[in-house]
Amino acid sequence: MYAEERQNAIAQRVAAEGRLSVTALAAEFEVTTETVRRDLSGLERRGLVRRVHGGVVPADALHVIEAGVADRSRTRTAEKERIARLAVRYLPSPGSTVLLDAGTTTAALAAALPPAHRLVVVTHSVPIAARLAGLPQLDLHLLPGRVRPQTLAAVGPETVVHLERLRVDVAFVGANGISTDHGLSTPDAEEAAVKRSLVAAARSVVALADGTKVGEEHTRKFAELDEVDALVTTTDADPDELAALRATGLEVDVA
């Protein structure tokens, strides 16, 4: 089957059945998941589908259903732990300030912080703050705002205003998608606004995203690639996508 025929067949299946996963489409059409992701990117640019994390929905879907933080915390835990162990090398010197974005991968980094490494930690994530509260080596600050149920993170104008007043050494940010064409993206507008402010507040930005998110694109872009200093990802990322990201000058570390 030619690529154009396969893409048209995928679009018809999505229109008929609603949400489909990348892995299911790859099995059905006997191609790799990387090929399916490229097909979906092309279909989304044509306005035929809308990509979501791990799959695709019809283009006219009124909203994107995000997995809750409890569901996400149970998926790809080994990969997130590998990312966290590698990301520790990007910590600034003792006494510096770091921003931790909300998300299960940044939560894995929070769990991997060295016990002897003294830091000022700022976060808008309630679970991360709960995990770090009381640790003697950390000066912990929780940002204000409305707590969004899907991510248990503070969002909204109050959160953004407080971030605009900050200057930190390193921000560790998560993303639902990262690509050469669309930068770093996420489906929710409020989350994107906070992430945009996290990036702007930091002297250095490190993105943490497992391999399934490399090459993915979501509705709300929150950072260009040249605003990010490094990406820590996993070995299952599409090698062509990683090569394209490296070609932009982005430092890419694979765990």
Side-chain angles (χ1 to χ4, degrees):
M1 182 181 288
Y2 292 109
E4 185 176 355
E5 294 175 312
R6 184 178 60 249
Q7 289 171 13
N8 289 337
I10 289 173
Q12 291 170 8
R13 288 269 283 107
V14 173
E17 300 189 28
R19 179 168 182 150
L20 293 171
S21 72
V22 169
T23 53
L25 289 168
E28 178 176 344
F29 291 96
E30 298 181 341
V31 295
T32 65
T33 54
E34 290 78 13
T35 296
V36 171
R37 290 191 185 99
R38 285 194 289 270
D39 287 341
L40 296 181
S41 292
L43 290 169
E44 187 172 49
R45 283 193 293 270
R46 291 160 59 190
L48 299 177
V49 301
R50 176 185 291 176
R51 296 180 69 183
V52 297
H53 181 54
V56 61
V57 297
D60 58 356
L62 294 179
H63 63 283
V64 175
I65 300 174
E66 291 180 85
V69 68
D71 292 331
R72 288 183 288 113
S73 67
R74 292 189 290 267
T75 63
R76 299 181 63 81
T77 54
E79 289 83 354
K80 292 168 186 175
E81 289 170 359
R82 294 207 312 269
I83 288 173
R85 288 194 294 270
L86 187 55
V88 165
R89 71 171 61 172
Y90 291 97
L91 289 173
S93 59
S96 301
T97 301
V98 299
L99 262 173
L100 292 183
D101 190 10
T104 53
T105 309
T106 45
L109 173 59
L113 291 177
H117 200 97
R118 187 170 51 86
L119 290 169
V120 178
V121 177
V122 183
T123 186
H124 67 124
S125 166
V126 174
I128 289 176
R131 179 185 288 273
L132 299 181
L135 293 182
Q137 79 274 24
L138 302 181
D139 180 7
L140 177 65
H141 298 260
L142 179 60
L143 292 166
R146 178 182 67 84
V147 176
R148 187 167 179 258
Q150 293 91 331
T151 56
L152 298 181
V155 296
E158 189 178 8
T159 313
V160 170
V161 166
H162 275 73
L163 282 166
E164 288 173 346
R165 297 169 181 164
L166 292 181
R167 190 65 169 161
V168 304
D169 296 293
V170 181
F172 293 92
V173 299
N176 296 79
I178 179 168
S179 72
T180 53
D181 291 337
H182 196 53
L184 280 68
S185 58
T186 191
D188 184 76
E190 287 188 307
E191 293 279 354
V194 172
K195 289 176 181 290
R196 196 172 296 118
S197 297
L198 284 167
V199 170
R203 295 184 176 89
S204 178
V205 178
V206 180
L208 309 180
D210 70 63
T212 64
K213 298 174 182 177
V214 174
E216 292 280 312
E217 296 177 352
H218 289 264
T219 312
R220 309 286 180 170
K221 178 195 291 190
F222 66 86
E224 301 285 357
L225 290 181
D226 61 9
E227 296 178 283
V228 179
D229 298 278
L231 165 67
V232 184
T233 187
T234 49
T235 54
D236 55 347
D238 181 347
D240 292 336
E241 295 284 354
L242 290 182
L245 290 169
R246 287 189 173 108
T248 69
L250 179 66
E251 180 180 347
V252 178
D253 257 353
V254 178

